[in-house]
Amino acid sequence: MMKLEELQVYQLAMVIGDEIWRIVDDWSYFVKDAFGKQLIRAADSIAANIAEGFGRYHYKENLNFCYYSRGSLRETVTWLTKALNRNLISKEKFTELKQLCELLSIKLNNYINTIGNGLR
């Protein structure tokens, strides 16, 4: 049986969350409190929802948590866009993270399709 830590979607979601944590950690108190906490929550919930769904052992519940994860991924990209617009991250860092998010989006959709095949 596959382990959660072996799933590429989980691994990539963990990388994104950790990278965003490192960025926010360098911000001022005000920016961390007003903005950073929401960005970190969104980014961390991507992997957390994948993990929770994986642990449910039921296709429909796993799918639901993957949908939550996908929503958190979209929210993360929105917060990253706001961070770029507010000069909190460089264009280069934004581009790097957005590309990771786009890759994760593709992998997550493929994972969702794989889970959905178990329902048929």
Side-chain angles (χ1 to χ4, degrees):
M1 182 172 167
M2 181 171 263
K3 294 180 182 179
L4 172 65
E5 294 78 10
E6 295 172 344
L7 289 176
Q8 287 184 359
V9 288
Y10 178 77
Q11 294 168 359
L12 188 52
M14 291 292 286
V15 167
I16 291 168
D18 290 345
E19 182 64 24
I20 288 173
W21 176 273
R22 282 189 284 280
I23 291 167
V24 172
D25 193 41
D26 288 337
W27 291 349
S28 71
Y29 173 79
F30 172 76
V31 177
K32 280 182 192 177
D33 189 53
F35 187 91
K37 286 179 180 178
Q38 291 180 277
L39 173 56
I40 288 172
R41 281 189 195 110
D44 282 349
S45 70
I46 302 167
N49 280 307
I50 292 168
E52 188 162 358
F54 186 87
R56 293 296 176 120
Y57 299 109
H58 189 271
Y59 292 120
K60 285 185 180 180
E61 283 188 290
N62 194 355
L63 270 177
N64 281 336
F65 280 98
C66 285
Y67 295 146
Y68 300 147
S69 181
R70 190 166 59 186
S72 295
L73 178 58
R74 299 280 184 260
E75 181 184 358
T76 299
V77 172
T78 297
W79 285 114
L80 288 171
T81 303
K82 287 177 173 284
L84 175 67
N85 293 343
R86 295 172 186 181
N87 297 313
L88 297 171
I89 58 173
S90 68
K91 179 72 172 164
E92 295 76 23
K93 183 52 74 174
F94 171 79
T95 301
E96 173 191 326
L97 288 169
K98 190 159 189 282
Q99 287 173 346
L100 285 176
C101 288
E102 287 169 359
L103 176 61
L104 179 54
S105 180
I106 292 166
K107 290 185 178 293
L108 187 55
N109 283 329
N110 289 338
Y111 181 56
I112 286 168
N113 287 335
T114 301
I115 295 167
N117 288 337
L119 296 174
R120 294 185 189 105

